[in-house]
Every structure is written in structure tokens, then in C-alpha cells.
Amino acid sequence: MITEISFPKELTDPVGLQPATLKDLGQLVILAGPNGAGKSRYLRLIESTGDAVSKATTEIQSLNQRKQTIDSLIKQDHAIKPVLDANLKEIQEQLARFKETLNNIKTANKNQHPPRFIHLRYNANGNTGHDPLSSSPSSIDSTAASNRRGGFEQAQQSINAYAHEIARTIYDSEHPRTRNLPELQAGLSDTQQFNKTLNSLLQSEITFSLNNQRRIITQFRGRPFDPAELSKGELLLFVWAILLHRQREWLRGAYLLLDEPENHLHPDVCIRTLKALQNDILGPDGQIWVATHSIPLIAYAKLDAIHFVDNGRIEYAGNKIELVLNRLLGGQDGRDQLRTLMADADELAFETFAAQCLLPPGVAEPSSGDPQMQQITNAVRSTKVLDEPLRILDFAAGQGRLASALEEIKRTSPSSNFLYYAFHEPAFASENELRECQRQIAGLNQPGSPSDYLLKTLDHLTLPGSKPIDVVTMCNVLHEIPVRNWIRHFRDIHKVLADDGYLLIVEDQLPSVGELPHEGGYIIMDELALKHLFGSQDAVRTVSIERDGRLTAFGIARNHLLKATTQTLEKAILQVKSHALSQLRQIRDTRMNGRSMRVGRKHAHFTMLYANAHLASEEFPSN
């Protein structure tokens, strides 16, 4: 593996690049930058530098042999030394130049052979080989055998022949006259491994059928295989399958160069192929160099691997990663827009989950193929009479995202029957939030004016003749309220709920974004902490848990809300503190967790949660 590479001026000037030295390189090296920045030129320069080092290694061996021959002749006859001195001087000068070239690349393994660079270039219009039905068996065998080396080009040219060989092996394994042949077993193992690789990339495998002449027909996706029927992306995935399976030995220990692989493949597939190369094929001496402007690929590589290319200059990204992202995303505005989009997507998914937790079984009919509609959970009001609307109060409704999620359910399931109310404390709601929330309420087409459902106080819900609320939701809200105010809010909610009503507490147990909603910091309650808070194991009902326990929805019946006291709140806070400490200890056990961004974020969350719970516990008299 190359740990350091230098691009001297005499190599960079002819191609319009700046001299540079890259150090502390790992198994994956990313050249990131916008179009026209010089990424592809640096990638070609890396290849030519490697070729120059390989040539220098060979030349040094040859020159050393010549030098040994001359030294031997001089030892035999000193009289010829003046004649051969000029040759020795020339050899020494050449050795010095070639050794200087060798210094352009440093590797982790000093005994490693000269660098072997393989530039994986894909030709979307390349040849996929002849139709097996019009080719001789020997030609098919020869072409199929040729794909064990040669990169994308050879793999692509062998597609028809190799796919036919796979189909023929499967046929032979099922035929009574050939299935027990010893030589078939190796071919069958190769076939099964290739189909496994192919299925991981294209979700299908090679099979066979017989035509009217009893000739083997290669089948793929239930029809005769024809590479021309594959999209360009699918064809490249087929080529990748051959490369990853058949060229493993040829690729082992090599330095692979990939120029903007995202041009032909979805970033997820790019990342999966890079993982396969890193983990299964290249070995410790191999290395991957990728020129890219794909944000997902850059994020996968992590900061240590990223080198920024711009205006013909290359340097380690390091603390300039912000500049890299600005150049790739169109400046700070582009970064802000992407951040907003991701945050909105997370919030919308959360509110959709919360909305689904509100509806009784059978009220919302899942639309076919919609995974979110299919995961509609048990109702918080399983005894609700369906011809009466479910009255929902969204406590601290913000911009009314829950109303938006409910509107989507109402659109896809017209039989849904509910009335949505949004409550905001005036001191904590901006005019923009109120306007947006009212707009979302208007989309529900409820009776009367949308403003009738936008509440700044709960008082009129307790007036004589007012119908009580069936479900009060706190969607990602409880943790934003200072704990000293929780009991007061539970009492207010108790007043507006029907006798058989529920408070639904929906929380993200591992927030994707850190926050400090108030001076005490957030406190997120899990199921056990809520049971301490409301003083009973029976007080909390699990409505839904999704995304590996991250999104939780718990129902608390009205009669349990008044059981929350200063003493139970203190116990709940101590439970949160204990749980956070336990999680931190697990995370810090390196035997259980490798380093990753996900683990780091989890560590930061529980560190903050522990600190916040500790500060909150100091507010109680017993502390």
C-alpha cells in the first residue's frame, strides 16, 4: 500500500497541475472536487508515476547487473579500468536518476514488488462478446476463461460466454450422466459463488432452459439472457460481478484507479463494491484511488481519506472539508439546503410514524407497496366507535407536521375519521410557525375555519358542553420542556382528556441532531423511565417501536397522569441517568464497538443525556 506519493514539477507542469506530496495514505484515497478541477488528470498522473517507478525498479536491476559485470572485468584486468570508468560514471548517473524516481512513491511494505496500477475504465458501448448459439464450444470456453484478468474490458467482452458457461454448469449438475463427474464440482462451486455475487448486485441469478433443438439457453430474470436488454447501469453491475468474482487473484495487492464511478452507478452500489474490494479482494497491500464529486462516496470514505482537488492543485482536505463541501454543493446556500432537506426528511418520517400511531386498526387502509402505510400500528383508541371522529390534540404542534402526516393518511384512506387540534404556548411559538400550522390544518378540510383548531390556550376545551379530547400527542416535545414544568402540563392534559383518553408520548430515542432546547438540556424518557415517572408498571403501554428501537410511541391513560409527582419524577430522572451511564460504558468498551460515525454520535448523545439528567437531579430536595 502506498503511504506517500510525490508529484514533481517535471510531471505536473506538462498536464497543467501543481506539484504536491500526499502523505499518510490509507487503503482508500479519495480525490474530491468539482468538474474540471483536475481529479482525472491527477488520477492519470498517479498511474504514470507508478509506471515510472516500475520502470525505474527494472532499470535499476539491469544497471546493477551491468555494474557488477564491469567491476568483475576490472578485477580481472586493471589495465582496462580507464577505458570502463566512463561506463561506470554513466551507470552511476542513471542509477541516481532512477533512485530519485523511486522516492516519488513510498509503501508500507518495503519488500513489496513494484507498484501494479490497474485503471478500471468502463466503456458503456463496449463489446459483450458473440452469441453462444453462433459460437463454437472451444471459442466459448476460451472467452470465458479469459476473464480472470484484464479489468472491465475483458470482463465485459466475456459476458455472453461466461454467462453461458454458468448455465451449462448448472445443466450438467442436474443431468444424470454428468452430475457425478469429479471435475464438475469445482465448476459448480464457481457457479454458485458467481450467482451469489450477481444476486447481491442485481437481485437475480443465471439459470438455464433448453430450446427445441435441446441446446442450452442462458436464462436471466426468467427469459433468455441478452445483454442488450440491460440498462447501462445493470450492464456495468454485471461486469462488476465478473470482476469481483473472477479477477480476485489478479486484483489482489494491486492499486486500483476509479474515475467518477458514480457516473454509471447509484452511490449505494458504488459503496458496496468498494467495501467488497477493500474487505474481500485487495488484501493489506492493495489500495483504491477514487476521483469523485459524489457526496455519499466522500461521506463513506471519512475525513482521513479525502484529498481536495481544485484549480489543478491537490492537498489533504483536513480542516478544509468545509471548503470541499462548499465547492461541491454550490456554496454555503447549497449546504444549508441539503441540511434542511435531510432534517425535513427526518422530521417528516418522525411525524408520519406519530400519525400512524394514532389510528385504530382498519381505519387507514394500507396502499399496496407503501411500506409506511403497511406498518400502521395498534390504535391508542382500540375501543373507539368508528362513526365518531377521533379527537386529536397536538401539544406544542410547531409547524403542524403531524397535521401534514395525517392529511397524507386521510388522502390515501378516505374512511379515516378524526379531528385535529394544534396547541401552541404563545411564548414559544413564532408567527411564522402559527401561519404554517394553520396552513397544514386547512389541508385537512375539517368543518369550520382552520383557525378554530389552532389553540393558544386549553381553557375552552374544558368549558361545559365541550367534547373532550381522545388523544393528546407529544411528538418529540416532552424532552424540550424543562422537567420542572412536566407535572403541571400533565395536569393540564388530564383536564382536557376523555375519561378513557390517552397521552401519546412519541420520542426519537437517538436524535440525529444535537440540541439544547432550554438551560437544563433535553431529557428523553424510555419505557422504564416513564414507568417510574407515572408510578406503575401498568401505567405505560407500548403503542409502537420502530427503527431498531429508535422511534418509540408510548400511551399513558388519563387516570395515570395525576400519579406523576415530584418523587416519581426524581426516580425517573435517576433512571435516565443510570441508563445513559450504562450505555456509555458499553460504547467505550472497544471490544464491543468499533469506531464509526454512528457510534460517535451515540456516544455524544448519551454523554449529553447523562449530564442533563445529573443537572436535573440536583433540582430535587433530596439531592
Side-chain angles (χ1 to χ4, degrees):
M1 179 172 69
I2 294 174
T3 57
E4 182 176 316
I5 186 169
S6 296
F7 306 114
K9 186 176 179 63
E10 59 269 21
L11 293 180
T12 57
D13 277 359
V15 290
L17 299 174
Q18 296 293 318
T21 297
L22 307 183
K23 299 181 178 181
D24 301 320
L25 303 173
Q27 193 182 40
L28 177 62
V29 184
I30 296 290
L31 310 186
N35 287 330
K39 301 186 302 296
S40 298
R41 281 177 286 161
Y42 270 114
L43 206 63
R44 291 192 293 270
L45 192 60
I46 292 164
E47 186 176 18
S48 61
T49 301
D51 290 342
V53 168
S54 295
K55 179 182 177 181
T57 302
T58 302
E59 291 294 336
I60 287 173
Q61 291 174 348
S62 175
L63 289 169
N64 280 330
Q65 289 176 355
R66 286 179 56 194
K67 183 175 178 297
Q68 289 176 3
T69 300
I70 293 175
D71 287 341
S72 177
L73 291 173
I74 292 174
K75 284 182 180 180
Q76 295 175 19
D77 186 356
H78 285 279
I80 63 173
K81 184 177 184 301
V83 178
L84 297 178
D85 274 347
N87 288 346
L88 283 173
K89 183 179 180 181
E90 180 184 356
I91 289 174
Q92 294 289 3
E93 291 173 350
Q94 290 180 348
L95 282 171
R97 287 197 302 270
F98 284 125
K99 287 178 179 178
E100 186 177 346
T101 300
L102 287 184
N103 290 332
N104 289 334
I105 289 181
K106 295 179 181 178
T107 61
N109 182 0
K110 302 301 181 183
N111 297 320
Q112 192 172 351
H113 294 297
R116 183 166 59 93
F117 285 89
I118 299 175
H119 200 149
L120 294 177
R121 297 180 176 90
Y122 176 66
N123 179 6
N125 300 312
N127 178 24
T128 58
H130 298 296
D131 181 357
L133 293 180
S134 62
S135 304
S136 67
S138 60
S139 174
I140 295 173
D141 291 345
S142 174
T143 304
S146 70
N147 66 10
R148 292 189 178 276
R149 57 190 304 113
F152 281 152
E153 182 179 4
Q154 200 61 43
Q156 189 168 357
Q157 291 176 2
S158 74
I159 284 179
N160 265 318
Y162 186 60
H164 182 77
E165 184 177 272
I166 295 293
R168 185 175 65 190
T169 301
I170 297 173
Y171 169 79
D172 288 343
S173 70
E174 297 179 4
H175 196 284
R177 295 182 61 182
T178 56
R179 63 187 178 194
N180 294 322
L181 293 175
E183 60 268 25
L184 179 65
Q185 297 309 309
L188 184 58
S189 176
D190 180 82
T191 291
Q192 291 168 343
Q193 288 299 318
F194 173 75
N195 263 337
K196 182 179 179 181
T197 302
L198 186 64
N199 191 46
S200 71
L201 296 176
L202 284 168
Q203 290 73 56
S204 192
E205 299 180 357
I206 293 293
T207 58
F208 77 92
S209 64
L210 298 176
N211 65 8
N212 293 333
Q213 289 78 41
R214 304 289 297 171
R215 295 190 65 180
I216 297 171
I217 305 297
T218 306
Q219 294 275 317
F220 187 67
R221 293 174 175 165
R223 56 180 287 106
F225 175 59
D226 182 359
E229 293 182 354
L230 301 177
S231 69
K232 289 184 178 180
E234 289 175 324
L235 187 61
L236 177 55
L237 287 175
F238 210 107
V239 173
W240 264 113
I242 293 175
L243 188 89
L244 294 173
H245 175 63
R246 294 283 281 181
Q247 300 188 14
R248 299 171 72 91
E249 294 305 317
W250 183 65
L251 294 173
R252 192 173 304 280
Y255 305 145
L256 304 187
L257 307 177
L258 291 166
D259 194 356
E260 298 185 355
E262 69 272 15
N263 286 348
H264 301 286
L265 293 178
H266 187 277
D268 173 62
V269 179
C270 289
I271 291 169
R272 282 193 282 132
T273 54
L274 289 179
K275 283 182 178 178
L277 287 168
Q278 285 183 277
N279 300 333
D280 304 329
I281 295 176
L282 290 180
D285 292 331
Q287 196 168 41
I288 307 173
W289 295 73
V290 182
T292 184
H293 45 63
S294 166
I295 296 295
L297 284 185
I298 293 170
Y300 163 72
K302 301 183 179 60
L303 189 59
D304 289 348
I306 302 169
H307 294 78
F308 182 38
V309 182
D310 199 18
N311 296 319
R313 182 186 299 274
I314 187 171
E315 57 185 328
Y316 172 60
N319 58 9
K320 296 184 179 180
I321 190 63
E322 184 175 4
L323 178 60
V324 177
L325 296 177
N326 282 341
R327 290 289 283 128
L328 294 176
L329 293 171
Q332 184 62 44
D333 286 346
R335 289 181 62 196
D336 290 344
Q337 289 163 4
L338 178 61
R339 186 182 295 112
T340 299
L341 175 64
M342 295 178 69
D344 284 350
D346 273 352
E347 186 175 352
L348 184 57
F350 179 86
E351 298 293 355
T352 299
F353 165 79
Q356 293 164 352
C357 293
L358 292 169
L359 302 180
V363 171
E365 299 172 0
S367 59
S368 61
D370 187 336
Q372 290 183 323
M373 295 301 103
Q374 291 170 351
Q375 66 179 21
I376 292 178
T377 59
N378 293 329
V380 294
R381 291 299 313 250
S382 59
T383 59
K384 185 69 183 177
V385 179
L386 295 183
D387 59 359
E388 295 182 11
L390 186 74
R391 294 166 60 83
I392 301 166
L393 174 64
D394 189 2
F395 194 96
Q399 295 185 6
R401 288 296 185 92
L402 180 58
S404 174
L406 288 169
E407 191 276 331
E408 173 65 17
I409 290 177
K410 199 168 191 177
R411 183 182 63 81
T412 57
S413 180
S415 62
S416 300
N417 190 15
F418 53 78
L419 288 175
Y420 170 87
Y421 296 83
F423 167 68
H424 300 81
E425 284 196 286
F428 300 103
S430 68
E431 288 300 318
N432 286 338
E433 281 183 328
L434 293 173
R435 281 195 299 270
E436 177 61 21
C437 187
Q438 185 165 320
R439 187 182 72 81
Q440 298 289 0
I441 293 173
L444 292 171
N445 296 316
Q446 299 181 150
S449 169
S451 61
D452 296 339
Y453 301 90
L454 193 65
L455 310 179
K456 296 183 180 179
T457 176
L458 299 181
D459 291 343
H460 86 270
L461 293 177
T462 62
L463 294 175
S466 299
K467 289 188 176 182
I469 296 296
D470 296 303
V471 185
V472 176
T473 66
M474 283 185 159
C475 298
N476 227 11
V477 167
L478 184 61
H479 74 267
E480 295 187 348
I481 301 173
V483 293
R484 70 178 75 93
N485 297 331
W486 285 11
I487 294 174
R488 173 173 61 84
H489 285 306
F490 294 148
R491 276 154 174 68
D492 291 340
I493 291 169
H494 178 270
K495 293 176 183 178
V496 304
L497 273 174
D499 289 342
D500 58 349
Y502 282 88
L503 167 63
L504 183 70
I505 298 177
V506 187
E507 288 281 10
D508 185 343
Q509 297 290 333
L510 186 62
S512 58
V513 179
E515 58 179 276
L516 189 68
H518 49 80
E519 72 279 3
Y522 63 79
I523 300 288
I524 298 178
M525 294 265 157
D526 62 8
E527 182 178 7
L528 185 56
L530 287 173
K531 288 178 177 179
H532 282 294
L533 176 60
F534 294 105
S536 170
Q537 292 292 314
D538 300 326
V540 180
R541 181 168 67 89
T542 300
V543 176
S544 182
I545 297 178
E546 300 288 339
R547 296 193 181 183
D548 296 326
R550 179 178 162 182
L551 300 185
T552 59
F554 298 112
I556 294 89
R558 178 179 184 266
N559 62 301
H560 286 290
L561 292 177
L562 296 182
K563 297 178 182 178
T565 65
T566 301
Q567 291 75 25
T568 63
L569 179 56
E570 181 181 4
K571 290 180 181 178
I573 296 297
L574 292 176
Q575 169 58 35
V576 171
K577 182 179 176 181
S578 175
H579 174 66
L581 182 59
S582 173
Q583 291 295 310
L584 284 171
R585 284 172 172 161
Q586 288 186 30
I587 293 168
R588 292 186 180 191
D589 186 348
T590 56
R591 293 170 296 174
M592 297 175 61
N593 295 284
R595 292 182 179 181
S596 71
M597 186 177 297
R598 179 184 60 81
V599 172
R601 189 178 75 181
K602 189 175 180 181
H603 183 272
H605 162 67
F606 283 110
T607 301
M608 179 65 78
L609 191 59
Y610 178 82
N612 294 343
H614 179 79
L615 292 172
S617 68
E618 292 182 340
E619 297 186 18
F620 296 96
S622 62
N623 293 296

